[in-house]
Amino acid sequence: PLHVALLANRGNVLQRLGRTADALDSYERALQVEPQNPVVLCNLANALCEQARYADALAAAERAIAARAQHAPAWVERGNALKLLDRTAEAIASFEKALQLEPAMVQAHTNLAATVLSDSVDTARVIEAGHQSLAVYLQSTYHAPALQRTGLTLAGFRLRHDVQQAEWLQAHGHAVPGLAAFLKTAQALLPQTNAGEVPGSVRVSPAEFARMQAFLCTPWMHPMPAMLPDVLNPANDWPALEEAYLAGTPEILTIDHFLAEPALKAFQDFAHGSRVWHGEYANSYLGAFANRGFNSPLHLQLARELRQRMPRVFKDYLLTQLWGFKYEPTMTRGINVHADFAKVNLNFWIAPSENNLDPESGGLKVYDVPAPADWTFEQYNTDSTRIYDFLRTHQAGCVTVPHRCNRAVLFNSALFHETDTIRFVDRYEARRVNMTYLFGQQLR
């Protein structure tokens, strides 16, 4: 009962189970034994942030720093709390201090890149932070010494995507390090996946991994224009669209011909050619995030133009998240029902419409009931059973927006939403890709 490591590990597991109050109790019991243990204090700070007790989280992180100033995770937790307290400049400085102590610390790079994104006046800094974060993540993931001895296991849907992307890069003349060796080796592994089905996992031997490693480690970015005259389609009546959004009860708006054509083409090429798709999800889709390379001058120009075109919608809200998801062509499910913490959610699609085999589906379902303000992140973002029960109890209606290329859906982020059924042509450039921007914050 007085074993600090056991109490701390128990707290970690309880936190992963969404039982944050119990986790806090476990950490406090550990701190009764060792009041200045910096590891436990960092865990405590993290759990307090989950409970939206940001000032208490900051105090716990600063106790950890007082106990061991060279403990880089304490500076990361301090930065997390400061960011949530809207003390952005101090948060950035805290993450930078963590990187002075541990230059290859993945979490510090990731959190720094996410924080400068929301303070996105300096475009070059935002992009550099995201790209540096991606490079450190890939080095940490694919240069781990154990992989030389053990090889690795890849999700079959991930391998299929990466082979298709490598073929696209080769066909378009991109000289990515290790491309030829990766293709030769990975193509030979593809028969281990089941064509037409959701692939399982594929075992990669140490020798095979050695031939694939250079390509897997390369944070390759497809070139993007520094700026365009317009990212948003200038032919749209943006004041009328803004009025329509604000008049909605609740706020849900579909915008067709969303992007100017040059911007649409640039985002399509970026999605095809950039090695940024590293998040893997249970329903066989891949994610890419701004704080790990899913970013460019055009991505940020889009955010600026939205504020200019629809100032009463976006107000002074910060850009808090930016990501993309790319899907298996023949899968039937995408992102499960959830809400997001932001004020405004922008979701748009860039895959050509003719590749959608069911034109009345493939898009987004938005429910007309928001998440309760007192729900935790776990409850409104991942607890599907609880969410569906809530929607039934409140007799929620649903707006279904079918997929169309260059169609955007703008809505209140607190509204529950989920991906509609997906069935697309089985070809690399036909894969459904959505891009999502979150602005501001309302749920904790």
Side-chain angles (χ1 to χ4, degrees):
L2 300 180
H3 195 296
V4 171
L6 288 177
L7 289 166
N9 287 345
R10 178 178 180 272
N12 295 346
V13 175
L14 287 165
Q15 203 171 339
R16 290 291 295 275
L17 289 168
R19 294 167 56 185
T20 309
D22 293 333
L24 286 171
D25 177 68
S26 211
Y27 297 142
E28 294 287 7
R29 287 167 58 190
L31 290 169
Q32 288 173 11
V33 182
E34 292 184 16
Q36 303 307 316
N37 186 303
V39 175
V40 181
L41 285 165
C42 285
N43 293 354
L44 176 67
N46 188 277
L48 289 166
C49 275
E50 285 193 5
Q51 287 205 329
R53 295 169 58 186
Y54 306 136
D56 291 339
L58 176 60
E62 291 187 333
R63 279 175 61 192
I65 290 167
R68 190 185 302 168
Q70 303 304 303
H71 189 56
W75 290 96
V76 170
E77 294 300 341
R78 179 176 182 270
N80 292 341
L82 287 165
K83 179 184 177 183
L84 291 163
L85 288 166
D86 294 324
R87 294 163 60 178
T88 304
E90 294 171 86
I92 290 171
S94 202
F95 295 133
E96 289 174 337
K97 175 64 175 179
L99 289 171
Q100 289 174 13
L101 296 169
E102 288 190 32
M105 187 178 183
V106 173
Q107 187 184 11
H109 278 284
T110 301
N111 293 12
L112 174 63
T115 306
V116 297
L117 174 71
S118 63
D119 187 33
S120 56
V121 176
D122 188 343
T123 297
R125 184 186 192 191
V126 174
I127 294 166
E128 172 59 27
H131 291 183
Q132 183 65 26
S133 172
L134 175 61
V136 170
Y137 167 77
L138 293 176
Q139 287 293 310
S140 172
T141 302
Y142 295 112
H143 268 288
L147 296 180
Q148 305 293 338
R149 303 188 303 273
T150 64
L152 79 163
T153 300
L154 287 176
F157 71 90
R158 164 70 185 278
L159 179 66
R160 243 167 62 92
H161 169 271
D162 286 2
V163 168
Q164 289 178 344
Q165 185 175 57
E167 291 169 343
W168 188 94
L169 288 165
Q170 186 179 67
H172 287 78
H174 294 283
V176 185
L179 174 59
F182 172 85
L183 260 182
K184 183 178 180 181
T185 305
Q187 285 171 334
L189 292 169
L190 275 182
Q192 295 183 36
T193 68
N194 299 315
E197 300 177 11
V198 176
S201 58
V202 176
R203 185 67 198 155
V204 181
S205 72
E208 290 164 336
F209 171 68
R211 296 192 291 271
M212 298 166 68
Q213 186 179 36
F215 181 79
L216 292 173
C217 283
T218 299
W220 183 264
M221 297 293 167
H222 191 280
M224 291 284 274
M227 184 172 277
L228 290 173
D230 293 283
V231 172
L232 297 178
N233 182 1
N236 285 340
D237 186 343
W238 291 99
L241 290 168
E242 179 176 53
E243 194 64 43
Y245 178 81
L246 293 171
T249 316
E251 303 101 324
I252 306 171
L253 178 69
T254 300
I255 307 173
D256 284 317
H257 313 293
F258 176 65
L259 301 170
E261 285 299 322
L264 173 62
K265 178 66 164 60
F267 284 132
Q268 288 171 335
D269 287 344
F270 183 88
H272 296 329
S274 298
R275 294 270 306 133
V276 292
W277 303 98
H278 301 293
E280 297 178 11
Y281 295 86
N283 289 344
S284 300
Y285 60 93
L286 297 169
F289 297 84
N291 60 357
R292 275 197 190 145
F294 189 75
N295 210 342
S296 77
L298 289 195
H299 288 77
L300 299 180
Q301 184 181 343
L302 171 55
R304 290 194 300 271
E305 287 189 19
L306 281 169
R307 292 195 190 95
Q308 293 161 5
R309 302 276 191 178
M310 306 177 83
R312 290 187 296 148
V313 172
F314 291 96
K315 300 182 181 180
D316 58 353
Y317 300 150
L318 297 177
L319 173 60
T320 49
Q321 289 278 12
L322 163 59
W323 66 69
F325 288 123
K326 189 187 288 192
Y327 299 81
E328 274 287 298
T330 56
M331 67 181 293
T332 58
R333 295 188 63 192
I335 303 170
N336 294 327
V337 65
H338 68 288
D340 292 307
F341 61 81
K343 287 279 192 181
V344 184
N345 184 313
L346 168 72
N347 189 92
F348 63 95
W349 304 300
I350 61 176
S353 297
E354 59 268 23
N355 296 314
N356 182 7
L357 296 174
D358 183 358
E360 298 309 309
S361 185
L364 190 68
K365 298 169 72 174
V366 184
Y367 297 91
D368 59 7
V369 176
D374 61 349
W375 279 22
T376 67
F377 178 84
E378 292 290 332
Q379 288 170 333
Y380 69 74
N381 198 262
T382 61
D383 191 345
S384 297
T385 301
R386 185 187 186 104
I387 293 168
Y388 283 129
D389 286 344
F390 175 82
L391 292 173
R392 278 191 295 271
T393 300
H394 288 77
Q395 299 181 317
C398 179
V399 176
T400 298
V401 184
H403 174 278
R404 296 289 185 274
C405 182
N406 206 12
R407 170 175 281 179
V409 188
L410 192 66
F411 60 97
N412 181 334
S413 276
L415 297 175
F416 288 111
H417 53 283
E418 62 184 314
T419 307
D420 202 357
T421 303
I422 294 173
R423 197 163 60 89
F424 277 57
V425 172
D426 193 356
R427 190 174 67 250
Y428 180 62
E429 292 185 359
R431 284 175 177 257
R432 180 190 189 274
V433 175
N434 72 273
M435 293 174 59
T436 298
Y437 286 67
L438 300 184
F439 294 86
Q441 184 162 341
Q442 60 181 313
L443 297 175
R444 65 188 177 93

